[in-house]
Short mmCIF file of all heavy atoms in Angstrom, two decimals:
data_model
loop_
_atom_site.label_atom_id
_atom_site.label_comp_id
_atom_site.label_asym_id
_atom_site.label_seq_id
_atom_site.Cartn_x
_atom_site.Cartn_y
_atom_site.Cartn_z
N ALA A 117 -73.42 -122.92 -55.86
CA ALA A 117 -72.78 -122.97 -54.53
C ALA A 117 -71.28 -122.77 -54.65
O ALA A 117 -70.67 -122.08 -53.82
CB ALA A 117 -73.10 -124.30 -53.86
N ALA A 118 -70.67 -123.35 -55.67
CA ALA A 118 -69.23 -123.18 -55.87
C ALA A 118 -68.89 -121.74 -56.21
O ALA A 118 -67.94 -121.16 -55.66
CB ALA A 118 -68.75 -124.12 -56.97
N GLN A 119 -69.65 -121.17 -57.10
CA GLN A 119 -69.41 -119.78 -57.50
C GLN A 119 -69.61 -118.82 -56.33
O GLN A 119 -68.88 -117.83 -56.21
CB GLN A 119 -70.32 -119.42 -58.67
CG GLN A 119 -70.00 -120.19 -59.95
CD GLN A 119 -71.13 -120.14 -60.97
OE1 GLN A 119 -72.18 -119.54 -60.73
NE2 GLN A 119 -70.92 -120.78 -62.11
N HIS A 120 -70.53 -119.12 -55.46
CA HIS A 120 -70.80 -118.27 -54.30
C HIS A 120 -69.59 -118.21 -53.37
O HIS A 120 -69.36 -117.18 -52.71
CB HIS A 120 -72.02 -118.80 -53.54
CG HIS A 120 -72.40 -117.96 -52.35
ND1 HIS A 120 -73.01 -116.72 -52.48
CD2 HIS A 120 -72.26 -118.17 -51.01
CE1 HIS A 120 -73.22 -116.20 -51.27
NE2 HIS A 120 -72.77 -117.06 -50.37
N GLU A 121 -68.79 -119.27 -53.33
CA GLU A 121 -67.59 -119.31 -52.50
C GLU A 121 -66.33 -118.99 -53.30
O GLU A 121 -65.21 -119.22 -52.83
CB GLU A 121 -67.46 -120.67 -51.82
CG GLU A 121 -68.56 -120.95 -50.80
CD GLU A 121 -68.30 -122.20 -49.98
OE1 GLU A 121 -67.11 -122.54 -49.77
OE2 GLU A 121 -69.28 -122.84 -49.55
N ASP A 122 -66.50 -118.48 -54.52
CA ASP A 122 -65.37 -118.10 -55.38
C ASP A 122 -64.49 -119.28 -55.75
O ASP A 122 -63.26 -119.17 -55.85
CB ASP A 122 -64.53 -116.99 -54.72
CG ASP A 122 -65.30 -115.69 -54.56
OD1 ASP A 122 -66.10 -115.36 -55.46
OD2 ASP A 122 -65.12 -115.02 -53.53
N TYR A 123 -65.11 -120.42 -55.98
CA TYR A 123 -64.41 -121.60 -56.48
C TYR A 123 -64.66 -121.74 -57.97
O TYR A 123 -65.72 -121.34 -58.48
CB TYR A 123 -64.90 -122.87 -55.77
CG TYR A 123 -64.18 -123.20 -54.49
CD1 TYR A 123 -64.37 -122.43 -53.34
CD2 TYR A 123 -63.32 -124.29 -54.42
CE1 TYR A 123 -63.71 -122.75 -52.16
CE2 TYR A 123 -62.67 -124.62 -53.24
CZ TYR A 123 -62.87 -123.86 -52.11
OH TYR A 123 -62.22 -124.17 -50.95
N PHE A 124 -63.70 -122.33 -58.68
CA PHE A 124 -63.85 -122.64 -60.09
C PHE A 124 -64.23 -124.11 -60.25
O PHE A 124 -63.55 -124.99 -59.70
CB PHE A 124 -62.54 -122.39 -60.85
CG PHE A 124 -62.09 -120.96 -60.87
CD1 PHE A 124 -61.12 -120.52 -59.98
CD2 PHE A 124 -62.62 -120.06 -61.79
CE1 PHE A 124 -60.69 -119.20 -60.00
CE2 PHE A 124 -62.20 -118.74 -61.81
CZ PHE A 124 -61.23 -118.31 -60.91
N ILE A 125 -65.27 -124.39 -61.03
CA ILE A 125 -65.61 -125.78 -61.33
C ILE A 125 -64.45 -126.38 -62.14
O ILE A 125 -64.01 -125.81 -63.13
CB ILE A 125 -66.91 -125.87 -62.15
CG1 ILE A 125 -68.09 -125.28 -61.37
CG2 ILE A 125 -67.18 -127.33 -62.56
CD1 ILE A 125 -68.45 -126.04 -60.11
N THR A 126 -63.97 -127.54 -61.68
CA THR A 126 -62.91 -128.21 -62.44
C THR A 126 -63.41 -129.47 -63.13
O THR A 126 -62.83 -129.92 -64.11
CB THR A 126 -61.67 -128.50 -61.56
OG1 THR A 126 -60.60 -128.93 -62.37
CG2 THR A 126 -61.97 -129.54 -60.49
N HIS A 127 -64.49 -130.06 -62.62
CA HIS A 127 -65.19 -131.11 -63.36
C HIS A 127 -66.52 -131.41 -62.70
O HIS A 127 -66.75 -131.09 -61.53
CB HIS A 127 -64.35 -132.39 -63.50
CG HIS A 127 -64.04 -133.12 -62.22
ND1 HIS A 127 -64.95 -133.93 -61.57
CD2 HIS A 127 -62.91 -133.18 -61.47
CE1 HIS A 127 -64.39 -134.46 -60.50
NE2 HIS A 127 -63.16 -134.01 -60.41
N LYS A 128 -67.38 -132.04 -63.45
CA LYS A 128 -68.67 -132.49 -62.93
C LYS A 128 -68.46 -133.74 -62.10
O LYS A 128 -67.57 -134.55 -62.39
CB LYS A 128 -69.63 -132.77 -64.08
CG LYS A 128 -71.07 -132.97 -63.66
CD LYS A 128 -71.98 -133.09 -64.88
CE LYS A 128 -73.43 -133.22 -64.47
NZ LYS A 128 -74.32 -133.34 -65.65
N GLY A 129 -69.27 -133.94 -61.06
CA GLY A 129 -69.13 -135.10 -60.20
C GLY A 129 -68.20 -134.82 -59.03
O GLY A 129 -67.56 -133.78 -58.96
N HIS A 130 -68.13 -135.76 -58.09
CA HIS A 130 -67.32 -135.55 -56.89
C HIS A 130 -65.82 -135.62 -57.19
O HIS A 130 -65.40 -136.24 -58.18
CB HIS A 130 -67.70 -136.57 -55.81
CG HIS A 130 -67.38 -137.98 -56.19
ND1 HIS A 130 -68.31 -138.84 -56.72
CD2 HIS A 130 -66.22 -138.69 -56.12
CE1 HIS A 130 -67.74 -140.01 -56.97
NE2 HIS A 130 -66.47 -139.94 -56.61
#
Side-chain angles (χ1 to χ4, degrees):
Q119 294 163 359
H120 182 74
E121 294 189 29
D122 295 323
Y123 272 71
F124 296 99
I125 299 296
T126 190
H127 65 78
K128 191 174 183 180
H130 65 263

